[in-house]
């Protein structure tokens, strides 16, 4: 019998119906747990479906094509070719219209992913570096318009670069329309936030909360006498925490994400996700519901905008971090990316102590060798301070250190107070009660370049450059997408310019946010000054990464004991060949007796490693990628 003829392609509605049927399976669990209530998940799922269907229908043709590409290649972001660059648009290019002119620079470095730091309409005045958003649907007028943004994403994509922006979803500015309506007394919008009529509950919550900004914004609640309410404000007073128990908040943020996805965003950096759910008697961080929310957002986005992925920003200890890449029921379904802040902390810890045992212990015992359809974003520095996330339990594994002692040592070392320290950083948010101190400073300044240049000490400059390049080699090979923070490829040092600007002077994190130095950038091919050497070194590291299949993010990473406390070692277990990566965290030659085949080549230098009989000799601060 002849079958009726069917067209070879699905129409838009059919495709959506199929996508919904498949995606619903990954939504139903988290949505039921979060918002099921007495009626079950049916009504809220139906509203989610409507939001998704609306955005699916409106999705522009170029993005639909990208959707299809990524349906075919859902592992695109795990490729060894991925390299990210993170920048403040005004400090990097000026505005959105000026961005295309800088694309050649990004391409030269090998960038495939551009994180444009907060660029949505911030509140006026102090805005926590743009993390206090008053309108998610408008670009900061100082930078351009939404139409400019869309055009910029097209130029970037034409150059093989995906656009990432921040989605600040733990809080809005108090000037956001939702907050203004809430303040005006509208109960629907009051339920978007966490508001209390008297200080009793806030005080009870405070007993188990920590303070993010104990100096500049102590406490977690703010009293507004005009409203007669206490509002939950984890960060600054002007950043009001959203109430994620309210399904309207979920729907509103999902709608916002898809609106922005329709403007060409391919990666959303979900800001401060650890804080999204609160429960009395807990620290209100990393609660299980956060993972349900993230799975639900990721899977809903995947239905209507499959080209898009999410990166969770949870700067937390090792055991709390791993679940953000999907564990247990969330495996392969939660955020595709998460910041590896523990790798970052351990890099700085080993560099200061010249001892990699804590690093080896932490990275070996708390982290799986690979994740299902997810990977880390690896980095050495970013726009924020460094929180010394070293637990008592991990410190207890080491001889002669304690958690508080080692954290205090690191803060002292990087503030340049410790004798013999090469670093030029500064304390941030010293907490008199807990003794906690965090650290600010640029990659180059913390790694010793600023002090060495000031002293005009050639050997110290060489050592600082070697430390910087070892850090770049580490994040390019450890597994995950390396994030280069603007200026770190040129060795830009601390900037005190922020002190003259009242809206920024109170926040020391601005010292690691210098404006781009285009004069130096113009000389990278020719200059023998540190910026030329660092840039060429970074570009080379990234080029070798891109040519090395075994460095793709889906390839397992196994941390091993090098047998030498000064040397950190890990294997990339490619299914054809293994790469043995070694980092010497000291200023002296180090010997390592590892079983590396005789003919092995160091991919970075293109030459065999130094050997002394069966022993490998690592030059000071060397990074080696050995492949048979
Ligand atoms: C994130 C940002 C940080 C900001 C905070 C609150 O941690 O990286 O800069 O202060 O969220 O939005």
């Amino acid at each position: 019998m002849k079958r009726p003829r069917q067209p070879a392609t699905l129409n838009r509605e059919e495709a959506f119906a199929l996508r919904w049927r498949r995606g619903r399976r990954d939504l139903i669990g988290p949505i039921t747990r979060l918002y099921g209530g007495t009626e079950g998940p049916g009504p809220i799922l139906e509203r989610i479906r409507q939001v998704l269907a609306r955005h699916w229908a409106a999705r522009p043709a170029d993005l639909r094509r990208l959707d299809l590409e990524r349906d075919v290649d859902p592992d695109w972001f795990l490729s060894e070719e991925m390299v990210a660059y993170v920048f403040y648009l005004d400090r990097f290019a000026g505005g959105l219209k000026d961005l295309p002119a800088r694309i050649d620079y990004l391409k030269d470095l090998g960038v495939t992913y551009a994180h444009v730091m907060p660029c949505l309409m911030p509140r006026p005045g102090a805005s926590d570096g743009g993390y206090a958003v008053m309108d998610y649907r408008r670009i900061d007028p100082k930078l351009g318009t939404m139409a400019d943004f869309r055009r910029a994403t097209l130029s970037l994509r034409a150059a093989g670069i995906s656009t990432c922006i921040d989605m600040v979803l733990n809080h809005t500015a108090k000037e956001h329309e939702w907050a203004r309506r809430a303040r005006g007394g509208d109960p629907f919008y009051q339920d978007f936030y966490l508001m209390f009529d008297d200080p009793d509950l806030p005080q009870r919550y405070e007993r188990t909360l920590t303070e993010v900004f104990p100096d500049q914004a102590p406490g977690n609640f703010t009293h507004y006498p005009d409203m007669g309410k206490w509002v939950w404000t984890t960060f600054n007073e002007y950043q009001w925490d959203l109430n994620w128990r309210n399904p309207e908040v979920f729907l509103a943020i999902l709608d916002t994400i898809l609106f922005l996805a329709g403007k060409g965003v391919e990666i959303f950096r979900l800001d401060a996700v650890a804080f999204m759910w609160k429960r009395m008697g807990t620290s209100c961080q990393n609660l299980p519901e956060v993972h349900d929310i993230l799975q639900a957002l990721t899977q809903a986005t995947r239905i209507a905008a499959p080209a898009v992925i999410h990166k969770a920003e949870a700067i937390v200890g090792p055991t709390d971090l791993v679940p953000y890449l999907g564990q247990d029921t969330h495996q392969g379904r939660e955020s595709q990316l998460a910041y590896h802040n523990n790798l970052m902390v351990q890099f700085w810890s080993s560099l200061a102590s010249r001892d990699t045992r804590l690093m080896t212990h932490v990275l070996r015992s708390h982290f799986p060798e690979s994740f299902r359809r997810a990977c880390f974003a690896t980095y050495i520095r970013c726009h924020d301070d460094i929180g010394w996330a070293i637990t008592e339990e991990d410190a207890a594994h080491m001889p002669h250190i304690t958690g508080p002692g080692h954290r205090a040592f690191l803060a002292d070392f990087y503030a340049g107070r410790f004798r013999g320290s090469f670093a030029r950083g500064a304390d941030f948010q010293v907490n008199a009660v807990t003794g906690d101190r965090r650290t600010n400073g640029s990659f180059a300044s913390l790694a010793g370049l600023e002090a060495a240049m000031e002293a005009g000490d050639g050997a110290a400059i060489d050592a600082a450059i070697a430390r910087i390049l070892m850090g770049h080699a580490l994040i390019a090979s450890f597994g995950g997408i390396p994030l280069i923070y603007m200026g770190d490829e040129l060795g830009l040092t601390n900037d005190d310019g922020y002190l003259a600007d009242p809206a920024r002077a109170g926040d020391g994190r601005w010292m690691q946010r210098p404006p781009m130095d285009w004069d130096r950038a113009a000389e990278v091919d020719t200059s023998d000054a540190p910026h030329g050497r660092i840039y060429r070194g970074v570009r080379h590291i990234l080029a070798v990464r891109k040519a090395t299949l075994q460095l793709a993010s889906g390839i397992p990473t196994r941390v091993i004991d090098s047998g030498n406390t000064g040397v950190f070692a890990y294997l990339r277990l490619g299914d054809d060949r293994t790469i043995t990566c070694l980092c010497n965290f000291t200023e002296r030659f180090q010997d390592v007796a590892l079983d590396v085949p005789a003919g092995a080549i160091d991919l970075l230098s293109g030459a065999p490693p130094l050997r002394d009989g069966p022993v490998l000799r690592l030059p000071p601060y060397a990074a080696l990628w050995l492949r048979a």
Side-chain angles (χ1 to χ4, degrees):
M1 227 175 56
K2 250 189 163 182
R3 291 210 195 154
R5 251 209 190 170
Q6 282 199 317
T9 52
L10 299 169
N11 68 37
R12 299 282 297 148
E13 289 74 33
E14 287 169 325
F16 180 77
L18 280 176
R19 304 192 70 84
W20 171 253
R21 201 171 73 190
R22 188 209 61 192
R24 192 177 177 278
R25 279 188 247 137
D26 295 326
L27 279 175
I28 193 152
I31 291 297
T32 307
R33 287 190 289 274
L34 293 166
Y35 306 122
T38 45
E39 297 162 62
I44 168 88
L45 277 175
E46 175 51 24
R47 290 186 60 200
I48 292 172
R49 196 191 63 78
Q50 285 167 16
V51 171
L52 300 180
R54 184 156 45 77
H55 286 284
W56 172 258
R59 196 137 163 91
D62 61 308
L63 297 174
R64 294 210 308 253
R65 197 192 143 85
L66 195 64
D67 288 342
L68 203 54
E69 282 175 30
R70 292 192 176 156
D71 270 335
V72 173
D73 180 17
D75 293 342
W76 64 278
F77 63 95
L78 299 174
S79 160
E80 67 283 0
E81 290 183 31
M82 293 296 289
V83 170
Y85 193 78
V86 184
F87 56 88
Y88 286 94
L89 188 52
D90 55 343
R91 318 202 122 223
F92 179 65
L96 283 164
K97 287 206 167 84
D98 312 304
L99 185 54
R102 300 303 187 189
I103 289 178
D104 281 345
Y105 179 79
L106 298 177
K107 277 176 73 177
D108 185 61
L109 199 56
V111 172
T112 62
Y113 158 155
H115 174 186
V116 186
M117 294 280 295
C119 57
L120 303 176
M121 175 82 174
R123 73 186 291 271
S127 67
D128 189 21
Y131 286 98
V133 179
M134 89 181 243
D135 190 342
Y136 295 99
R137 291 174 191 245
R138 264 179 76 190
I139 294 289
D140 181 348
K142 290 200 284 295
L143 303 173
T145 64
M146 196 51 89
D148 297 332
F149 179 80
R150 173 80 166 116
R151 275 191 292 275
T153 66
L154 287 169
S155 309
L156 287 166
R157 186 150 2 93
I161 301 173
S162 298
T163 303
C164 167
I165 69 166
D166 291 85
M167 182 66 221
V168 185
L169 77 183
N170 175 68
H171 44 266
T172 72
K174 68 174 179 185
E175 288 79 6
H176 190 282
E177 199 201 324
W178 304 334
R180 282 194 295 106
R181 292 208 191 180
R183 199 157 180 172
D186 182 335
F188 181 80
Y189 286 104
Q190 289 195 338
D191 204 23
F192 268 49
Y193 298 93
L194 295 144
M195 300 191 163
F196 306 88
D197 293 330
D198 62 61
D200 176 52
L201 280 173
Q203 276 163 12
R204 282 171 50 203
Y205 276 113
E206 282 284 14
R207 283 182 210 145
T208 50
L209 295 176
T210 51
E211 293 171 304
V212 177
F213 296 136
D215 287 352
Q216 71 199 50
N220 288 277
F221 298 86
T222 305
H223 181 219
Y224 294 92
D226 62 316
M227 247 196 317
K229 300 242 186 235
W230 277 257
V231 178
W232 200 308
T233 51
T234 298
F235 293 89
N236 292 290
E237 171 276 322
Y238 51 75
Q239 289 161 301
W240 287 12
D241 286 45
L242 285 164
N243 173 19
W244 280 88
R245 281 179 197 267
N246 178 358
E248 299 298 336
V249 167
F250 181 91
L251 289 164
I253 295 288
L254 177 61
D255 190 41
T256 309
I257 288 176
L258 292 171
F259 166 82
L260 292 165
K263 303 297 175 197
V265 176
E266 298 175 40
I267 302 144
F268 285 93
R269 173 192 180 275
L270 306 182
D271 182 66
V273 290
F275 300 90
M276 286 167 77
W277 197 269
K278 335 279 188 190
R279 180 173 299 117
M280 182 65 80
T282 73
S283 66
C284 299
Q285 287 191 53
N286 310 306
L287 291 172
E289 288 83 353
V290 169
H291 300 289
D292 278 334
I293 296 171
L294 293 176
Q295 175 172 330
L297 287 175
T298 298
Q299 296 307 324
T301 306
R302 197 171 153 227
I303 293 171
V308 172
I309 59 172
H310 292 306
K311 172 172 62 174
E313 191 244 355
I315 306 304
V316 297
T319 45
D320 287 323
L321 176 59
V322 168
Y324 286 93
L325 287 178
Q327 297 293 289
D328 306 324
T329 67
H330 299 292
Q331 259 199 43
R333 302 159 158 199
E334 199 170 330
S335 322
Q336 288 90 348
L337 299 170
Y339 283 84
H340 203 332
N341 68 304
N342 288 274
L343 180 69
M344 181 273 291
V345 164
Q346 293 302 331
F347 168 81
W348 292 112
S349 166
S350 295
L351 207 56
S353 61
R354 279 78 163 172
D355 187 328
T356 64
R357 279 174 291 178
L358 181 63
M359 181 176 200
T360 300
H361 166 71
V362 166
L363 294 170
R364 190 163 55 174
S365 56
H366 298 301
F367 294 91
E369 293 182 349
S370 61
F371 292 88
R372 188 188 296 170
R373 200 147 279 175
C375 72
F376 279 116
T378 52
Y379 67 112
I380 297 290
R381 283 304 284 123
C382 69
H383 68 293
D384 280 329
D385 51 291
I386 304 175
W388 299 111
I390 287 162
T391 66
E392 317 310 310
E393 296 74 35
D394 288 330
H397 269 84
M398 300 299 119
H400 317 310
I401 65 167
T402 64
H406 191 57
R407 292 195 297 267
F409 159 68
L410 293 171
D412 284 340
F413 188 94
Y414 286 107
R417 278 188 301 266
F418 195 83
R419 247 187 64 203
S421 166
F422 46 72
R424 283 279 173 84
D427 286 341
F428 184 60
Q429 305 300 320
V430 177
N431 190 324
V433 184
T434 61
D436 187 45
R437 280 180 289 153
R438 309 197 318 246
T439 299
N440 282 322
S442 79
F443 189 166
S445 292
L446 295 179
L449 188 60
E450 186 177 333
M453 300 230 315
E454 237 168 65
D457 178 339
I461 292 176
D462 290 348
I465 293 176
R467 287 183 202 109
I468 292 170
L469 292 178
M470 182 192 44
H472 283 293
L474 173 68
I475 59 173
S477 60
F478 190 75
I481 302 180
L483 306 183
I484 313 291
Y485 179 65
M486 183 185 92
D488 287 349
E489 77 283 13
L490 296 172
L492 296 192
T493 50
N494 294 335
D495 172 30
D496 61 9
Y498 73 100
L499 292 169
D501 173 357
R504 295 185 290 139
D507 190 335
R509 290 176 298 173
W510 284 97
M511 75 193 275
Q512 58 252 9
R513 303 171 186 174
M516 183 60 175
D517 189 331
W518 288 109
D519 291 336
R520 288 193 186 175
E523 304 173 343
V524 291
D525 286 316
T526 50
S527 172
D528 284 325
H531 55 274
R533 291 167 61 193
I534 295 171
Y535 182 92
R536 290 193 297 276
V538 176
R539 181 173 59 189
H540 173 70
I541 288 166
L542 297 175
V544 177
R545 165 186 161 85
K546 284 164 177 272
T548 309
L549 281 175
Q550 295 86 356
L551 296 181
S553 300
I555 303 284
T557 301
R558 178 170 304 160
V559 175
I560 59 170
D561 184 353
S562 73
N564 176 330
T565 57
V567 177
F568 180 62
Y570 48 102
L571 308 176
R572 300 304 310 281
L573 303 165
D575 66 0
D576 56 341
R577 279 178 295 178
T578 290
I579 301 208
T580 305
C581 300
L582 301 170
C583 300
N584 177 357
F585 275 87
T586 77
E587 53 270 78
R588 283 178 293 279
F589 274 85
Q590 296 294 342
D591 291 344
V592 168
L594 278 179
D595 190 18
V596 174
I601 295 286
D602 168 27
L603 299 176
L604 286 171
S605 64
L610 292 179
R611 287 190 191 253
D612 187 355
V615 170
L616 298 171
R617 298 223 75 192
L618 273 69
Y621 296 121
L624 266 55
W625 297 351
L626 302 171
R627 190 171 69 185

